[in-house]
Structures are given as structure tokens and as C-alpha cells.
Amino acid sequence: AEGKGMIPELQDPKVRRALALAIDRNYVTDMVTKRGELPADTFLPRGFHDEDGKDYYDSADKFWDNSTYEANCEEARKLLAEAGYENGVGFPETTYLYNTDDKHQAVAEALQSMWKNVLGVEVTLNNQDWNVFLETRSKGDYSICRNGWIADYNDPVSFLDMFMTDNGNNDAHYSNAEYDAIMTKVLSDSDAAGRMELMHQAEDLLVGEDQAIAPLYYYSQPYMVADDVHGMYYTPLGNFLFFHATKG
């Protein structure tokens, strides 16, 4: 995410996309987090259904290909050079902010290494305890920081509306009049097909054009169920339902 306190160089979408492309998301999920997370290539995860019952994710544009990391790195280096910082020369040291947690620290260290090795960009790490971190992030007093989100209900709007200008959850302090107009229509449009297409447009603007965020991975929920338990249902929102569960 980007904040009001970012260094001026990060205002350039080319720089932000370079930083996003230089992240090896397969390495992050396979070697760092290691809980079955899926590397992100969109903002909206799987599990949201469109008007035909199909997964919203399947018809969404993908913003990079996680299977072509070396090609992604080449594009990242090219973009950074076009922005005026070839091999990171002249790019000022910036800071990545995260809340104190061993897993988040490990992810932060991986990102720091990738940005240095791929782009020559120096990034220092800063961690804060949760309550302080929330306040700092809300104020936008950072250059780059981590965030995570879990939907309150099964609709893509539960992810997308928070990036509207002045939304209380918009800790990125992202503001784009076109995005606001699209989402305002989404929130008032009862045509399911129209809503889905508009939300794809909003996601393309947020991540594809403006590069306001750089999604890393989709959360997982590891759990164990005994072999003789049947009928347990797990919802996309993370709820375990045992209404019809039987044992034996």
C-alpha cells in the first residue's frame, strides 16, 4: 500500500509497478509463510461468485504471471530505468512498515532482499506494535506498509469500497475520482452483471493502472478434520458449519 508519507519517487506508477513485479510471490508462500497460501495475481481472491454462479476471479484480469518471475524482474528493471533509476542508482532509501510479528518480519525481510537484489533499491524495515501500527497506517505516515483484509460478506465490493476517497478503511489514502465514480455506481446498481463488470474495471484501475497496492498472497485456513467426521462445511468467509455434520 502507498501512504501520504511516501517519498516523492513512489508517486510514479512505474516505480510502484517495478516494486510489485520484483516480488517472488511463490518464494514468499513456499519458503516464508508456508501455510498453503496462494500467490496473488489479482487483488480479489477466489470465492466471490458472479451473477452466473461463476467465480469472479476467473474473469478478472491478472496483473502479473507468478510462473514467469525472471521475466517479471526484467520488466521491473526496465520500468525502474524508465523512471530514471537504472539499477536503483539515485533512488533514495525508503522504509517498509509492518506490525510486530515473526511471520510479518520474515515476509518483510524477503521483500527487502528482493528489492535490493532485483532493483538495487535499499529498503529499511520498521515494525510497530499493533495499536501504534494501526494509528500510523491510518494517518498514512509511511512510504510502504503491509495490510491484510478479510471480507465481511461474500461480495467483491467488500474489498473494493475501502479504496474510495475518505473511506474509513482507506489506509492507503488512495484517491481517484474515476474509481469513486465506478464504485458509487456499483453501490447503487442492482444489475448483477453490470456490477461485476464495473468491479473488474475498478480493480483494473486500482492495481493495474494506478498500482496503488501490490497484493502478495491470499490467506489460507489450515485445519484438521477426523476421517470419521462427515458433512462439515467450510465457507469462503472462513466459517466452519457443523449443522449437518455426523461422526462415524
Side-chain angles (χ1 to χ4, degrees):
E2 59 176 276
K4 292 190 300 182
M6 74 166 67
I7 57 175
E9 290 77 7
L10 284 171
Q11 296 286 357
D12 188 341
K14 287 186 177 180
V15 171
R16 297 200 296 267
R17 179 158 178 81
L19 292 171
L21 286 169
I23 299 170
D24 186 345
R25 291 165 175 81
N26 290 319
Y27 180 87
V28 170
T29 57
D30 293 345
M31 306 303 294
V32 181
T33 57
K34 297 189 287 189
R35 287 170 57 89
E37 297 92 344
L38 296 175
D41 52 10
T42 64
F43 174 42
L44 277 294
R46 296 167 177 81
F48 294 114
H49 296 112
D50 63 18
E51 71 282 359
D52 296 323
K54 299 178 181 178
D55 200 304
Y56 171 97
Y57 172 90
D58 291 335
S59 57
D61 289 334
K62 309 306 185 286
F63 301 111
W64 45 76
D65 185 344
N66 288 311
S67 69
T68 59
Y69 180 59
E70 289 304 320
N72 294 347
C73 290
E74 286 299 319
E75 183 182 350
R77 285 187 282 265
K78 179 174 178 289
L79 287 168
L80 196 65
E82 290 176 359
Y85 308 103
E86 187 170 3
N87 298 321
V89 175
F91 196 88
E93 185 175 290
T94 187
T95 301
Y96 177 84
L97 176 68
Y98 63 97
N99 53 297
T100 305
D101 178 274
D102 289 345
K103 183 180 75 172
H104 297 326
Q105 178 178 335
V107 171
E109 290 172 348
L111 298 181
Q112 179 187 48
S113 176
M114 292 167 192
W115 288 330
K116 171 64 175 176
N117 294 336
V118 175
L119 300 174
V121 170
E122 298 281 355
V123 177
T124 59
L125 305 181
N126 180 28
N127 64 293
Q128 296 178 340
D129 289 339
W130 180 242
N131 289 333
V132 177
F133 171 77
L134 288 181
E135 183 177 356
T136 302
R137 193 176 67 186
S138 179
K139 290 179 179 178
D141 189 17
Y142 62 85
S143 287
I144 309 171
C145 86
R146 74 158 296 273
N147 199 349
W149 194 252
I150 298 174
D152 299 313
Y153 50 95
N154 197 339
D155 191 298
V157 77
S158 62
F159 271 70
L160 293 169
D161 66 353
M162 69 171 144
F163 289 100
M164 296 176 72
T165 303
D166 297 328
N167 183 284
N169 292 312
N170 187 1
D171 290 348
H173 294 264
Y174 175 71
S175 181
N176 183 312
E178 183 181 355
Y179 187 90
D180 291 345
I182 292 172
M183 290 307 301
T184 297
K185 188 173 182 181
V186 166
L187 293 169
S188 60
D189 193 348
S190 60
D191 174 16
R195 285 180 78 253
M196 292 298 167
E197 177 54 36
L198 286 168
M199 285 189 281
H200 283 308
Q201 292 176 24
E203 187 178 5
D204 288 346
L205 187 59
L206 176 71
V207 188
E209 185 173 331
D210 289 341
Q211 301 292 317
I213 58 175
L216 296 180
Y217 55 80
Y218 311 119
Y219 285 141
S220 62
Q221 176 71 294
Y223 61 90
M224 294 188 295
V225 180
D227 291 338
D228 59 350
V229 172
H230 307 284
M232 184 276 290
Y233 181 68
Y234 177 69
T235 75
L237 293 177
N239 300 312
F240 293 89
L241 303 181
F242 293 92
F243 298 119
H244 305 290
T246 58
K247 188 175 187 299

